[in-house]
Amino acid sequence: MHLIGLLAVLIALPLIGILSAWFGLDAAGLDTLRQQAATVLPGYLATSGWLALMVTLGVIVVGGATAVTVALFEFPGKRWMSWALLLPMAMPAYVSAYAYTDFLQYAGWVQSILRGWWPGFRFDVRGLPGAIFLFVFTLYPYAYLLARNALGERGMHLMEAARMLGTPQHQRILRVALPLARPALVAGAALALMETLADYGVAAYFGLTTFTTGIYKAWMVMDDRLGAAQYASMLLLFVAVLLWLERREQRRMRFASTRGQRGGDGAEARLPQLGGPQAALAWAICILPIVLGFVLPVAILLQLWWGEAGGDAVPGAGARYFAWVWNSFRFGGIAAAVAVVLALALCFAQRASGLPRMMALALGFVARLASMGYAVPGSVIAVGILLPLAWLQAQWPGVGWGVLLTASSVGVIYAYLVRFTAVAVQSIDAGYTRIAPSIDEAARTLGCSRGAIAWRLHVPLLWRSLATAALMVFVDVVKELPATLLLRPFDTDTLAVIAHNLARDERLGEAALPSLSIVAVGLVPVLLVMRALDGRRRT
């Protein structure tokens, strides 16, 4: 019970630290808050609001169009397209921003050709429209994947029934398919929106005044800890609403579970075969997001890297590149191992029967906190850690709390655990659903202790879920930027940090290699998702 309470406090500490900024407001703090409300806060609200609105609409349109095309029609190359549409999930938005900035710069060949056609033409990708474009085409797979699964489970035989009633094809899509996929599209858009609000790399590189850049500026530039915490609490409120909305829509998606693509008589439903102009349109709908979200950014980065390298494997970096890789892998490996252990302990404790009521409630509280951590932006967690740390340092200056958490890897690993333990909990909890409780009961009748059941019985049965959980946490840590920027030890750069710093200094050629390395690491879970979906389809 004491261990559970300690775990709850550790997970909740960053959130408590952020919310505590509102309880100590004095007259000076209120005056500062009024000044911010009259100056910078409207800009943060306007930019974040427009970004949220347009990214939501774009993700719903792109994800919905691709999901309907893949799930409800047959056309040449469909199987390859259905998996390739997931590739942009491996491309962090800030990496795509570096690529498109070089590709669409004023002196580049794209704008040069356009100025030849339209003299005076000028376009700067570093702005709100450019950021919206990047987020839409790197985050649409969230909506595509959920909507495709929802339509694939039930959509076809309902479309067939509507066809037999004489409904035209476009009306079947608008009145049957899209309403059926609406909860999935909303849930996917909410996930994409949480990623958008959590972003720091794109907003900082494009000079946008969002809440995330405001948090970083208030803390690191203006040394305004309370202001940073207040911005973080406002962003946390947005995230809490989005998380509630996503969970509500996920519950509403349950109505779609049925026996797959079969009609009422059990016969396998047949998808309409597209050909000619219709097949070309289906190809255009699917290939455009793949090219804009993955193929083109990767090609640009490869060209930048090759132009900078001149044939060398590591351009301008040498041993430093391997140090960045080592730091990224070190942080990712430690965080993945600890997160898996914590998640396994939490899931096993929730599975245990005969727990006292208070312990069961405490476990549920810890699980809810852990599940919320992934939705909280890294910058919010970092501020939530640094604010209580500053208070502790002021109360006991001789203890050295700041040295412990900011001059070593402890602080950044702690931030990773608060944010990404939820990923491990979800994977391991899904694995536990395949282990019958009767197995535990049989082991206990044979005299096995709880520790022996967990180590000798559950771990071998859960090894796939444990490996998946570790891999997902590892990849998320490698891609994480804002928490790493705020909490990493001095002179310790990761691939994400160094790519951001080089791109900020307009050294895009040197930023290409660490950016490509991040994309290569991110491809691993995408390929695993593709394999899992392919296996489900064959069964």
Side-chain angles (χ1 to χ4, degrees):
M1 186 66 181
H2 296 295
L3 181 59
I4 295 172
L6 178 61
L7 183 59
V9 170
L10 289 176
I11 293 177
L13 184 60
L15 305 183
I16 296 172
I18 291 168
L19 297 178
S20 66
W22 294 98
F23 297 108
L25 280 178
D26 53 13
L30 288 173
D31 184 62
T32 302
L33 190 59
R34 293 191 192 98
Q35 292 179 0
Q36 292 171 347
T39 55
V40 296
L41 192 56
Y44 294 155
L45 285 170
T47 304
S48 299
W50 276 111
L51 194 63
L53 176 63
M54 300 309 295
V55 169
T56 299
L57 293 176
V59 165
I60 289 176
V61 170
V62 177
T66 51
V68 167
T69 303
V70 168
L72 302 181
F73 299 100
E74 287 286 353
F75 54 92
K78 169 189 167 177
R79 184 176 181 183
W80 176 83
M81 290 282 192
S82 64
W83 311 136
L85 282 164
L86 296 175
L87 289 175
M89 292 183 74
M91 178 69 66
Y94 60 85
V95 171
S96 189
Y98 308 152
Y100 274 107
T101 297
D102 180 81
F103 184 63
L104 298 176
Q105 61 181 319
Y106 181 78
W109 64 270
V110 174
Q111 289 209 45
S112 299
I113 292 176
L114 293 176
R115 283 196 301 273
W117 294 343
W118 297 288
F121 176 86
R122 182 183 179 90
F123 173 75
D124 187 5
V125 70
R126 296 195 196 186
L128 186 60
I132 293 169
F133 168 84
L134 292 173
F135 284 124
V136 168
F137 285 101
T138 54
L139 299 176
Y140 78 86
Y142 287 107
Y144 159 74
L145 187 58
L146 293 177
R148 174 193 157 192
N149 291 340
L151 291 172
E153 288 174 352
R154 190 174 179 179
M156 193 52 238
H157 68 271
L158 293 179
M159 292 280 287
E160 181 66 15
R163 185 190 67 81
M164 295 178 66
L165 292 174
T167 307
Q169 180 171 288
H170 70 282
Q171 288 292 331
R172 297 199 298 271
I173 294 175
L174 293 176
R175 299 173 61 183
V176 178
L178 291 181
L180 184 67
R182 184 179 66 84
L185 287 173
V186 172
L191 292 172
L193 191 51
M194 283 188 278
E195 291 288 337
T196 302
L197 293 175
D199 173 80
Y200 173 77
V202 175
Y205 189 56
F206 282 7
L208 301 180
T209 54
T210 64
F211 273 109
T212 307
T213 58
I215 292 169
Y216 190 87
K217 181 179 179 181
W219 187 280
M220 301 298 293
V221 179
M222 302 177 65
D223 196 24
D224 184 3
R225 298 171 181 175
L226 290 180
Q230 289 161 1
Y231 295 151
S233 64
M234 296 176 192
L235 184 56
L236 187 62
L237 178 62
F238 276 114
V239 170
V241 172
L242 290 173
L243 189 62
W244 169 80
L245 180 64
E246 188 269 337
R247 287 180 175 175
R248 190 190 71 168
E249 296 300 328
Q250 286 282 8
R251 288 195 297 268
R252 295 180 63 182
M253 287 166 59
R254 292 177 183 174
F255 76 92
S257 56
T258 184
R259 292 183 301 168
Q261 293 276 37
R262 295 181 182 271
D265 57 354
E268 188 75 21
R270 299 184 62 183
L271 300 175
Q273 182 71 41
L274 301 181
Q278 291 182 328
L281 178 61
W283 258 78
I285 291 174
C286 293
I287 201 69
L288 187 64
I290 299 171
V291 172
L292 295 179
F294 183 80
V295 176
L296 185 57
V298 169
I300 296 169
L301 291 173
L302 286 172
Q303 185 273 330
L304 282 171
W305 170 60
W306 186 257
E308 179 72 22
D312 296 333
V314 184
R320 292 183 300 154
Y321 170 76
F322 298 103
W324 306 331
V325 172
W326 166 244
N327 289 330
S328 298
F329 276 59
R330 176 167 59 92
F331 287 156
I334 295 173
V338 179
V340 167
V341 172
L342 291 177
L344 179 62
L346 183 59
C347 292
F348 178 75
Q350 284 186 292
R351 180 184 174 88
S353 59
L355 291 176
R357 178 175 175 80
M358 290 302 298
M359 183 174 289
L361 291 175
L363 281 171
F365 175 70
V366 174
R368 189 173 295 274
L369 284 175
S371 65
M372 186 178 179
Y374 187 65
V376 179
S379 57
V380 173
I381 293 175
V383 171
I385 292 174
L386 290 172
L387 201 63
L389 177 64
W391 181 84
L392 289 173
Q393 188 68 30
Q395 297 298 316
W396 297 284
V399 176
W401 296 100
V403 174
L404 175 63
L405 291 182
T406 60
S408 67
S409 302
V410 175
V412 69
I413 295 297
Y414 175 40
Y416 294 150
L417 293 176
V418 172
R419 182 153 195 244
F420 299 127
T421 297
V423 179
V425 168
Q426 291 174 359
S427 177
I428 296 173
D429 189 53
Y432 261 123
T433 61
R434 296 189 293 269
I435 302 177
S438 58
I439 296 178
D440 296 14
E441 297 173 3
R444 281 196 296 271
T445 59
L446 295 174
C448 289
S449 64
R450 292 186 184 275
I453 293 174
W455 177 250
R456 300 177 59 185
L457 182 62
H458 290 174
V459 170
L461 294 174
L462 290 170
W463 72 269
R464 291 182 184 274
S465 297
L466 295 172
T468 301
L471 178 62
M472 297 297 288
V473 173
F474 175 83
V475 172
D476 282 332
V477 168
V478 171
K479 296 194 299 185
E480 172 64 26
L481 178 59
T484 312
L485 273 173
L486 287 169
L487 293 172
R488 76 192 191 279
F490 176 74
D491 200 25
T492 303
D493 291 324
T494 64
L495 289 170
V497 170
I498 202 65
H500 169 73
N501 290 341
L502 290 173
R504 181 190 58 192
D505 296 338
E506 301 299 332
R507 298 158 64 184
L508 292 175
E510 295 178 58
L513 183 61
S515 300
L516 285 170
S517 303
I518 296 170
V519 175
V521 172
L523 274 175
V524 177
V526 174
L527 295 176
L528 290 178
V529 171
M530 293 179 183
R531 181 179 177 182
L533 292 176
D534 191 40
R536 184 187 302 175
R537 180 181 179 184
R538 291 175 181 176
T539 56

